Amino acid sequence: MPDVIAGDIEQSKSLEPVFAAFERDHAGFKIGCAHFEGDEGELTTEYGGVRYIWIDNGSGEVLLELGYRTQEGDGERLPTCYEADECDDKTWSTLETFADNLSTIHEQIRPSVETILNRISDRTLSGDVAGEIRSLVATGIPPVEWATRPKVRRAFDLLLEGFSIIGWSTKLITSFEKIEAGDQLIIEPDEPLHVRGNFRYWWIEDANSFMTHLTKTRRLRYLRNITHGRESQLDEFNRLPAAWHCNTEIENNSDGVNSVNSRVANIASDHSQPHYHPAAPIGGGKPQHELYFIMNPDVFALDSRGGKGHMRAFPDLQNPSRYEEFPLKPGNVVYVPPDTGHQVNDVFLNTVALPGFKPFNTIHLEQSV
């Protein structure tokens, strides 16, 4: 079974085996960390691909121009210099059908639909709904059973076809905007980001791609907190800068547009389960690999459990009573290959998955630990 590999951003030598294993497993990808400090400068790509950036600590500002389009705003509202798209007639009719027929929708499907409907203000809807679409698909319930009424099932068909055009807002002026720990930035070739400030960050560049469906910024404060409605030992924090996009498969690529996903969460031991992602993924495509970037919970004034966060690695998937345990602290990075049993406890982290959080590809170990 592959082993987890860990390093620390402040100890460059410790990062070498992490980066080497990552680049070995992902042809055309590069990984690193860097620090920006200055009144103004550029963040650029280095290998002609799409570069994903996650701020580890510090803060700064990014220049976003007039006409910039984003799918943020389902958490805190975007500033008044943004204008949310009004839903077109087809989208609005689809949403009205759901609102008028909630009682006909399967009980396991209904919560995701309600989450989408709760974002509506007047005739606008803010934020990326790809996460909700993935939740619908990940129930494993056949779409024909999502609702009892044919018109509602048709509404689901339309939602699955057009979810990527929903939730957009447009910037009305050019100005710098704040970026801080946990925020995600994306750079495409020949489109550098102009930034200023003092911040440290992790980066991954996908030289196999020259464009992405994701927006330049995904700032945590503007993203909805996905709570589970259950008591936890830690403050709940669960936000999704980059969700899996379902139903985007193309010929010879069952993963579709997906390349990198990101989820920032405060993981409590009472909600954490040992699991792994199979090397032969269900549904085909690339197997799911993960990076854990450990963050400082103080940035969001979250309960840190006295800094007792740790990870368990399970060398034998058939015997979860045997595991190795090691502490985690802000600035650590952990690389988790497929077929590797793992569990994190009482940790605030950004989980970066490649090609992403594939539906049906999390397999839980026996609860005997």
Side-chain angles (χ1 to χ4, degrees):
M1 185 194 82
D3 294 323
V4 300
I5 308 172
D8 188 281
I9 198 169
E10 295 183 348
Q11 299 176 28
S12 58
K13 204 70 176 172
S14 73
L15 297 176
E16 292 178 3
V18 179
F19 293 173
F22 175 88
E23 293 180 4
R24 179 198 66 218
D25 293 343
H26 303 280
F29 283 74
K30 297 291 184 179
I31 186 173
C33 58
H35 182 261
F36 179 89
E37 184 175 6
D39 292 334
E40 187 171 342
E42 288 185 345
L43 298 178
T44 64
T45 65
E46 295 181 49
Y47 304 97
V50 175
R51 176 164 290 207
Y52 302 83
I53 287 173
W54 297 275
I55 298 176
D56 172 65
N57 67 17
S59 64
E61 294 180 303
V62 60
L63 182 66
L64 299 174
E65 297 182 341
L66 166 71
Y68 171 61
R69 300 268 290 163
T70 184
Q71 282 181 302
E72 301 166 294
D74 54 328
E76 290 182 22
R77 290 191 176 185
L78 289 165
T80 56
C81 60
Y82 285 86
E83 182 176 72
D85 285 3
E86 186 173 281
C87 295
D88 60 33
D89 290 343
K90 184 165 74 170
T91 299
W92 188 246
S93 177
T94 298
L95 296 174
E96 284 188 316
T97 298
F98 292 140
D100 294 340
N101 296 274
L102 277 173
S103 63
T104 73
I105 297 175
H106 194 289
E107 61 180 7
Q108 294 183 47
I109 300 296
R110 194 180 309 140
S112 295
V113 175
E114 291 175 331
T115 299
I116 294 173
L117 295 177
N118 287 339
R119 302 187 196 182
I120 296 174
S121 177
D122 296 326
R123 195 167 158 155
T124 65
L125 185 151
S126 298
D128 189 352
V129 301
E132 281 71 32
I133 300 301
R134 183 199 178 282
S135 294
L136 295 174
V137 173
T139 62
I141 299 170
V144 71
E145 298 177 13
W146 288 3
T148 58
R149 299 192 67 183
K151 65 179 296 185
V152 183
R153 293 198 293 270
R154 175 56 181 160
F156 277 116
D157 290 340
L158 294 174
L159 180 65
L160 292 173
E161 291 171 5
F163 71 88
S164 62
I165 67 171
I166 298 173
W168 291 88
S169 295
T170 303
K171 197 158 190 252
L172 305 178
I173 61 171
T174 296
S175 64
F176 278 94
E177 297 189 35
K178 185 177 181 180
I179 49 176
E180 53 195 344
D183 289 351
Q184 174 180 285
L185 305 176
I186 297 180
I187 311 168
E188 294 182 341
D190 302 320
E191 292 191 22
L193 286 180
H194 295 270
V195 297
R196 59 193 185 192
N198 185 353
F199 54 91
R200 186 173 67 184
Y201 61 91
W202 301 98
W203 61 266
I204 291 174
E205 184 164 337
D206 176 7
N208 303 311
S209 303
F210 63 91
M211 63 183 297
T212 176
H213 61 288
L214 297 171
T215 57
K216 293 179 182 178
T217 60
R218 291 290 168 99
R219 294 159 288 183
L220 294 183
R221 63 190 177 280
Y222 297 134
L223 303 181
R224 182 175 58 88
N225 200 30
I226 309 168
T227 59
H228 298 290
R230 57 191 183 187
E231 290 189 7
S232 172
Q233 295 174 354
L234 297 186
D235 295 332
E236 284 206 272
F237 191 105
N238 186 11
R239 303 182 189 185
L240 201 59
W244 180 267
H245 271 229
C246 294
N247 304 317
T248 60
E249 299 89 347
I250 56 178
E251 188 176 359
N252 299 322
N253 184 1
S254 59
D255 292 328
V257 301
N258 299 287
S259 176
V260 176
N261 286 174
S262 167
R263 171 186 175 235
V264 178
N266 206 24
I267 307 294
S269 57
D270 52 340
H271 289 173
S272 180
Q273 295 179 295
H275 64 280
Y276 70 97
H277 310 290
I282 297 170
K286 299 177 182 178
Q288 181 172 325
H289 299 67
E290 291 184 339
L291 284 159
Y292 289 161
F293 295 130
I294 311 304
M295 299 174 57
N296 188 345
D298 294 343
V299 172
F300 290 91
L302 299 173
D303 180 5
S304 66
R305 299 278 292 167
K308 301 297 184 181
H310 62 276
M311 181 173 187
R312 290 176 175 175
F314 300 84
D316 183 354
L317 297 178
Q318 306 305 316
N319 182 16
S321 64
R322 186 165 69 90
Y323 57 85
E324 301 169 7
E325 184 172 296
F326 52 93
L328 294 174
K329 64 181 180 63
N332 287 165
V333 58
V334 183
Y335 181 50
V336 185
D339 276 348
T340 305
H342 57 286
Q343 177 187 23
V344 292
N345 296 298
D346 302 327
V347 174
F348 183 48
L349 78 168
N350 178 12
T351 302
V352 172
L354 294 92
F357 303 115
K358 300 168 71 74
F360 313 116
N361 277 274
T362 295
I363 300 177
H364 294 287
L365 304 182
E366 293 294 330
Q367 298 301 293
S368 58
V369 298

